[in-house]
Amino acid sequence: VEAARALGLRTVVHADSWAGVVDVARAGASAVTHLPPAPVPDAAVEAMRAHGTVAIPALAGELGLSDLTTRPWRDAPLLAAVASPSAVAGYTAPLGPELQAIAERQREERAGRLAAVRELHRVGVPVLAGTDAGVLGTVQGFSLHHELALLVEAGLTPREALAAATTEAGAFLGQRVGLRVGDRADLVVLAASPLDDVRRTQDVEFVVSNGRVVDREALLGPLSAELLTAPLVDDFASETLASTL
């Protein structure tokens, strides 16, 4: 945390207990993710408020398996649009004992996780949207919509949940997100307002990325053999560290 601060970088720390949350907040972490499914102690509230620590509960990651194995999330049209049929089928088939145990644990923890987010929001601790995408029960391009609905279920208004994924998240990262001149031209245009029902974020008309309308059909089409064998550059964008699939 100290090294990141010296470099002007944000830090996001995983914590699996409220004692851990208190420790990392006092250490100066910018955000804590994966909040414990237990009542929020006063010490955690005091530490997070005193040090400006943000909460990123990643509810979609924590509750994704239990939700995607039941309706209505499993039957969402957007899920079918962005995930392969085999991936969706994986959530409709009977789960093995290990996965069934995980799903059951998520169901048992659901009320506690939502209550923790509700309490932090009530006392003024900033809550941002995050999904932990890539873990079991999350789907790239879909789980953020799931997260928004879970944040509203936890007590945020639809407007607050949307801000948690856009303007407030941008402010946390030092980026201007919005509709003002000079803001990043990254927009999702919807068929209806999500302010009455946040699940309407799934009714996507089109997407603008970096000022250009995304060709959705091309994006969702099958990958070419050329793409599948093209070199991939690592996160540091170094040509000397390229690898292939």
Side-chain angles (χ1 to χ4, degrees):
V1 172
E2 292 178 357
R5 186 186 300 114
L7 294 171
L9 299 176
R10 295 282 192 170
T11 48
V12 180
V13 180
H14 287 220
D16 57 8
S17 70
W18 286 114
V21 170
V22 172
D23 288 343
V24 299
R26 289 174 175 170
S30 307
V32 178
T33 188
H34 299 292
L35 302 175
V40 184
D42 291 342
V45 172
E46 293 168 1
M48 295 181 78
R49 293 181 64 178
H51 297 277
T53 310
V54 170
I56 307 176
L59 293 169
E62 299 290 1
L63 305 174
L65 182 61
S66 61
D67 277 8
L68 286 184
T69 53
T70 58
R71 294 178 174 174
W73 285 106
R74 187 181 65 202
D75 299 330
L78 183 61
L79 177 62
V82 300
S84 68
S86 60
V88 176
Y91 293 106
T92 62
L95 299 177
E98 184 176 349
L99 294 183
Q100 185 60 48
I102 294 173
E104 184 58 35
R105 188 196 73 223
Q106 290 184 356
R107 294 186 187 100
E108 293 172 353
E109 293 178 348
R110 184 186 190 89
R113 292 192 183 282
L114 294 174
V117 175
R118 184 177 301 114
E119 177 61 13
L120 290 179
H121 178 61
R122 185 189 70 81
V123 299
V125 173
V127 175
L128 298 182
T131 65
D132 206 23
V135 301
L136 194 65
T138 61
V139 178
Q140 301 282 4
F142 173 76
S143 289
L144 181 60
H145 300 272
H146 187 197
E147 182 77 6
L148 294 178
L150 289 169
L151 289 176
V152 170
E153 188 177 345
L156 278 69
T157 67
R159 184 181 293 276
E160 289 170 336
L162 290 166
T166 55
T167 53
E168 295 300 325
F172 176 78
L173 295 173
Q175 299 176 356
R176 287 180 54 184
V177 176
L179 295 175
R180 301 163 298 180
V181 174
D183 289 347
R184 288 185 56 174
D186 292 343
L187 309 171
V188 179
V189 179
L190 307 175
S193 172
L195 295 180
D196 297 322
D197 182 355
V198 78
R199 296 193 184 206
R200 288 177 178 165
T201 61
Q202 299 176 62
D203 300 330
V204 178
E205 285 289 311
F206 61 91
V207 174
V208 178
S209 177
N210 197 27
R212 296 179 180 275
V213 176
V214 173
D215 185 339
R216 189 176 186 181
E217 295 302 319
L219 182 65
L220 295 177
L223 291 176
S224 68
E226 181 181 353
L227 273 177
L228 290 174
T229 57
L232 297 179
V233 179
D234 79 340
D235 291 341
F236 297 100
S238 170
E239 293 182 1
T240 62
L241 296 175
S243 60
T244 57
L245 287 173

